Amino acid sequence: MTKTSHPLPVEIGLTAAILAVSGAADDTPEPMVLVARPASATSEAALPSGPFDPVAHRTFEIGLRAWVAEQTGVPLGYVEQLYTFGDRGRHAQAGDRDPHVVSVGYLALTRADTKLTQAPEAAFRPWYSFFPWEDWRTGRPEVLDALLPRLTAWAEQEPGAGGPARLSRRERMRLLFGVEGGRFDEDSVLERYEFLYEAGLVPEARRDGRAAPDGVPALGQPMLNDHRRILATAMGRLRAKMKYRPVIFELMPQTFTLTALQRTAEAISGRHLHKQNFRRLVEASAVVESTGEMSRATGGRPAALFRFRREVLQERPAPGLRVGARV
Amino acid sequence: MTKTSHPLPVEIGLTAAILAVSGAADDTPEPMVLVARPASATSEAALPSGPFDPVAHRTFEIGLRAWVAEQTGVPLGYVEQLYTFGDRGRHAQAGDRDPHVVSVGYLALTRADTKLTQAPEAAFRPWYSFFPWEDWRTGRPEVLDALLPRLTAWAEQEPGAGGPARLSRRERMRLLFGVEGGRFDEDSVLERYEFLYEAGLVPEARRDGRAAPDGVPALGQPMLNDHRRILATAMGRLRAKMKYRPVIFELMPQTFTLTALQRTAEAISGRHLHKQNFRRLVEASAVVESTGEMSRATGGRPAALFRFRREVLQERPAPGLRVGARV
DNA sequence: TCAAAAGTGTTATCCTTACACCCATGT
DNA sequence: ACATGGGTGTAAGGATAACACTTTTGA
C-alpha cells in the first residue's frame, strides 16, 4: 500500500456553480446561476470552468477565485468545494478518446447586481430553468404532470426488484418526489436529478448510449458534460446549508425587509414559507437586527429594514434559518 | 471561459479513512481506523492510499475498492467521498520539488473482525490515539489540560483582532472547545484539528516551516502528509451522518443488544449518552427490531437481541439516531 | 375608502430532557 | 443474597405548526 506510481496525464478542471439571487431587495427575487455560455442552437449551456494550474496557484480555491475574477469580474463571497468527478463514462462523448479530465465542482455565492465585465457571453440564468421540478413556490410545478407518469412507468418495469438491501425504484420515487404519501424533501436536488438520469429522462443521460424513451418532454434545459449534476449538487447543498449557516446573507443586500428575506429563502428552498412562523423563527434565531430605517418602496405599509447580525457567529454554533418541514 | 488547456502532469491519489469498531458486539467497543503502516521510529503512520488509474477504473470509487480489496483484503461497505486536497503547501516536505499530487479523501466503513490478508504492515488503530481530545466518553479528556492553556496563549497574541467579519481566535476557541460557556460540538472534528494546526500545535504544521512553540506536549499521534486531516474529516462526517443515516449498522454485527448499539454510538460520537433516552430514541425511530433471541453474555440480566430494520429506508427520509445535545 | 402589504397574539401538539425505580440472571 | 447490567413510566418545558386578525401606508 501507499505505492508510489508514475504521474498520469490527468487534467484538473475547476467548475463552479456561481449562485446569486436577482432582485433580492424587492419581493420578486429569482435564484440565478452564472453560465459561461448560454445555450445556443449548436451548443449547450455551460458553467464557467477553468483548468487548475498547480504551478501558479497554491490551492484549488485560490486558482478558482483567480480565473473567475479575471474572466468574469464577478467577486466571489462564500466558496465551498462540492465533489470531485472522475467519471469517465459520463464525460465521454461518442468518439472521445478519454481526455482524463477530473473535475472539481464548487459552490460559490455572489450578489446578482455585479456587472459582468470581460465576459460578453456570460450571463445569469434562473436556476429553475434547468430544474423546473424543483420550484414549488407557487404550488406543485407543472412539469410533474409529464414527469411522474414516465417515472412510474420506468419504476414498474424494474428488473427483479432486488432484496431489501437496495431500495426499489418505486420506493425511491416515493421518497424523492413526495408521491404516495411521501414528502418532497427539497434538499435532495442531486438525488432527484440522478434518478431522472438513471431513468434516461434527461438528455445528458442519452449521450453515453442509452436509448431515448419515445417523445420525452423537455425536462429542463440540459448542460454540457456533468455541469447540470454540479449545479444540482450546489442547489442541494445551499438549501441544506441555509438551515444551519447564515449563508443567505451572502445573497442579500446590506439592508432588507423581512419579506425580502422570506422571499429569498423561498427562492432558494423552492418552497412557500409560512409568514408568521418565518418571522418568529427569524426573531428567535436573532440573526438580524433592525436598522431603525423604513422602506416605503414595498407598495403597502412601509416595512422595517434589517441587517445581518454578525455577532450570531460568536453566539450560536449553528446559526441559520432552521425552516422545518412546514415553516 | 471554459478554456481548453494542456494536460498537466498531475497525479491523483486516493486516500481512504477506513473506519471500524472493534468489539461492537460486547460493551467495550473502540473505534478504529486502518493504517497502512503504523508509526515507527523512522516513519509516521499513514492511511492506505493508492494511485487512481483512469485507464483501468471508470470511477474513483471503483478504483478505490479495487486496490483496497487487492492490497488489504478488507471488504468495504459504505463508501463516501470527503474532500479533494490540491494543497501544495501542506504536502511539501523540505526539499521537495512539487510532485503535484492531488489527493481525493474517502470515508469507508467496514467491520473490524476482518482478517488483514496480504498486508502484513496494515493494522487497525484506535482513532482516539490520533485525536485524544475528541474522546469525552468518560468525561473531559486529560489532554485538554495541556492543550487549552497553549491555545489560550495563542488566541491572546492575535494580531489586530480584525473586524466583526472574521471570528477572532478566542471566539473560535469558545465555539470549538466548549470553554467559557460554549458547547463542545462533537461534529466539528476537522475544525478543531485545523485550529490546532493554525496554532502550530500539531507536528504536521511544523513541516512547512512554522516555528515550534517550545515544549509542546504530545497532541495525538501525527500522520504522514495530510492524512490526519483526512481522518478528522472522516470522523466529523461519520459523527454527523450517524444522526440522519443508519450508517452505524455498517459497523455492527448482524444482531446486537441495545447496550452494544449505545456503546457503539458513544464510541463514534465520543460522548456519553443517556441510557433511557437513547433507548426511547431508538424505539421511536424504529430503526431496529427484536429478533426474539436473548444474549446471556452480558454479565447481568440477559439482553434482547435486535437487528437493523431495513424497511426504515423506505419509511422515513432521514432515518438515523438523532441524538441531540444531551441524549 | 380601498387595496396592498406589514405586522402581531394565541393555542394545541409533539419532542426533548430529566427524573428514579423495578427486573432477571449468574455467582 | 447480591452484584450486574437490562429494562420501563412519567412529567416539565420548550419548540413547532396552525389558526385569523389589526395596522399603516399610497392611490
Side-chain angles (χ1 to χ4, degrees):
Chain A
M1 284 189 293
T2 317
K3 283 206 272 202
T4 43
S5 71
H6 318 294
L8 290 160
V10 172
E11 183 184 346
I12 306 280
L14 303 175
T15 304
I18 300 174
L19 306 184
V21 174
S22 79
D26 45 87
D27 61 348
T28 52
E30 190 64 28
M32 311 291 268
V33 56
L34 184 66
V35 292
R37 171 157 60 77
S40 71
T42 55
S43 68
E44 293 167 307
L47 293 178
S49 78
F52 171 60
D53 176 357
V55 176
H57 301 293
R58 218 186 72 241
T59 67
F60 290 150
E61 195 179 315
I62 291 170
L64 178 80
R65 287 181 186 273
W67 67 250
V68 169
E70 183 195 326
Q71 294 179 28
T72 69
V74 172
L76 300 184
Y78 182 84
V79 168
E80 172 181 340
Q81 192 188 104
L82 293 172
Y83 199 80
T84 301
F85 300 97
D87 194 323
R88 191 169 73 235
R90 297 227 167 153
H91 267 269
Q93 308 271 8
D96 271 5
R97 279 186 304 118
D98 292 331
H100 295 155
V101 172
V102 167
S103 64
V104 186
Y106 273 83
L107 160 66
L109 302 181
T110 189
R111 294 193 169 83
D113 45 25
T114 55
K115 298 263 180 289
L116 298 171
T117 58
Q118 300 139 18
E121 304 254 291
F124 281 103
R125 286 275 174 272
W127 77 37
Y128 293 123
S129 68
F130 302 101
F131 295 95
W133 55 88
E134 295 291 345
D135 188 1
W136 289 64
R137 286 178 290 176
T138 55
R140 189 169 171 285
E142 282 179 22
V143 245
L144 291 178
D145 295 337
L147 196 49
L148 293 181
R150 294 188 167 273
L151 282 178
T152 308
W154 180 71
E156 244 134 49
Q157 49 154 335
E158 181 161 31
R166 277 244 149 277
L167 283 181
S168 74
R169 289 176 182 174
R170 221 197 142 101
E171 288 149 2
R172 288 168 66 201
M173 196 177 148
R174 199 172 64 79
L175 288 172
L176 291 176
F177 287 89
V179 294
E180 296 175 31
R183 207 175 74 70
F184 186 91
D185 171 32
E186 80 267 13
D187 292 355
S188 309
V189 183
L190 177 63
E191 290 81 350
R192 275 186 289 273
Y193 176 71
E194 297 272 327
F195 193 68
L196 295 180
Y197 191 106
E198 275 183 62
L201 291 177
V202 292
E204 287 95 326
R206 276 164 254 139
R207 290 189 200 132
D208 49 356
R210 286 174 212 238
D214 41 316
V216 182
L219 293 179
Q221 215 185 106
M223 280 184 156
L224 183 73
N225 295 344
D226 265 333
H227 289 194
R228 200 148 57 137
R229 188 154 56 139
I230 293 172
L231 178 54
T233 312
M235 286 170 58
R237 190 71 70 88
L238 180 59
R239 284 181 171 183
K241 198 126 205 166
M242 195 182 72
K243 289 164 190 148
Y244 60 93
R245 283 289 131 111
V247 281
I248 192 173
F249 301 104
E250 300 274 346
L251 303 167
M252 303 290 297
Q254 288 306 110
T255 67
F256 45 82
T257 66
L258 288 186
T259 302
L261 184 64
Q262 180 177 345
R263 294 281 172 267
T264 305
E266 289 173 335
I268 294 169
S269 67
R271 279 173 33 205
H272 172 73
L273 300 176
H274 187 283
K275 183 172 69 153
Q276 300 91 317
N277 290 346
F278 179 80
R279 292 167 108 95
R280 182 184 354 274
L281 192 81
V282 169
E283 180 148 30
S285 62
V287 286
V288 299
E289 64 192 353
S290 172
T291 64
E293 320 255 283
M294 291 293 220
S295 161
R296 48 193 57 222
T298 58
R301 171 174 169 176
L305 285 170
F306 292 81
R307 75 168 75 86
F308 175 47
R309 260 190 79 240
R310 291 220 123 75
E311 296 84 349
V312 285
L313 294 171
Q314 304 159 29
E315 293 162 3
R316 307 197 308 137
L321 299 177
R322 316 190 64 86
V323 295
R326 296 285 145 204
V327 172
Chain B
M1 282 188 294
T2 316
K3 285 205 272 202
T4 44
S5 70
H6 319 294
L8 290 159
V10 171
E11 183 184 346
I12 305 280
L14 303 175
T15 304
I18 300 173
L19 307 183
V21 173
S22 79
D26 44 86
D27 61 348
T28 53
E30 190 63 29
M32 310 292 267
V33 56
L34 184 65
V35 292
R37 166 155 66 74
S40 72
T42 55
S43 68
E44 294 167 306
L47 293 178
S49 78
F52 171 61
D53 176 357
V55 177
H57 302 293
R58 218 187 70 245
T59 67
F60 289 152
E61 192 178 317
I62 292 169
L64 178 79
R65 287 181 186 273
W67 67 249
V68 170
E70 183 196 324
Q71 293 179 29
T72 69
V74 172
L76 300 185
Y78 181 83
V79 168
E80 173 181 339
Q81 191 187 106
L82 293 172
Y83 199 81
T84 302
F85 300 96
D87 194 321
R88 192 169 73 235
R90 297 226 168 155
H91 267 269
Q93 308 271 8
D96 270 5
R97 280 185 305 119
D98 293 333
H100 294 156
V101 172
V102 166
S103 63
V104 185
Y106 272 83
L107 159 66
L109 303 181
T110 188
R111 295 194 169 80
D113 45 26
T114 55
K115 296 265 180 288
L116 299 172
T117 58
Q118 301 138 17
E121 302 255 290
F124 281 104
R125 287 275 175 271
W127 78 39
Y128 293 122
S129 67
F130 302 100
F131 294 95
W133 56 87
E134 295 291 344
D135 187 1
W136 289 64
R137 285 177 292 176
T138 55
R140 189 170 172 285
E142 282 179 21
V143 245
L144 290 180
D145 295 336
L147 196 48
L148 293 181
R150 296 189 164 273
L151 282 177
T152 309
W154 180 72
E156 245 133 49
Q157 50 153 329
E158 181 162 29
R166 277 246 149 277
L167 282 181
S168 73
R169 289 176 183 173
R170 224 199 141 99
E171 287 149 2
R172 288 168 66 201
M173 196 177 148
R174 198 173 64 80
L175 288 172
L176 291 175
F177 288 90
V179 292
E180 296 175 31
R183 207 175 73 70
F184 186 92
D185 171 31
E186 79 268 13
D187 293 355
S188 310
V189 183
L190 177 63
E191 291 81 350
R192 275 187 288 273
Y193 176 71
E194 297 273 330
F195 193 69
L196 295 180
Y197 191 106
E198 276 184 61
L201 291 177
V202 293
E204 288 94 327
R206 276 165 254 139
R207 289 187 200 133
D208 47 359
R210 284 174 212 238
D214 42 315
V216 182
L219 294 179
Q221 216 185 105
M223 279 184 156
L224 183 73
N225 294 343
D226 266 332
H227 290 195
R228 199 147 58 137
R229 189 153 56 140
I230 294 171
L231 177 55
T233 312
M235 286 170 56
R237 189 73 70 91
L238 180 59
R239 285 181 171 182
K241 197 128 208 165
M242 194 181 72
K243 289 163 190 150
Y244 59 95
R245 283 288 130 110
V247 281
I248 193 173
F249 302 104
E250 300 273 347
L251 302 167
M252 303 289 300
Q254 288 306 110
T255 67
F256 45 83
T257 66
L258 288 186
T259 301
L261 184 63
Q262 180 177 344
R263 295 280 172 268
T264 305
E266 289 173 334
I268 294 169
S269 66
R271 279 174 33 206
H272 172 71
L273 301 176
H274 187 282
K275 183 172 68 155
Q276 301 92 316
N277 291 345
F278 179 80
R279 291 167 111 94
R280 177 180 2 270
L281 192 82
V282 169
E283 181 149 28
S285 62
V287 285
V288 299
E289 64 193 352
S290 170
T291 64
E293 321 254 280
M294 291 294 220
S295 161
R296 47 193 58 222
T298 58
R301 171 175 168 178
L305 284 170
F306 291 81
R307 75 169 76 88
F308 175 46
R309 260 189 80 240
R310 290 219 123 75
E311 296 84 350
V312 284
L313 294 171
Q314 304 158 29
E315 294 162 2
R316 306 198 309 137
L321 300 176
R322 315 189 65 87
V323 295
R326 298 282 145 205
V327 172

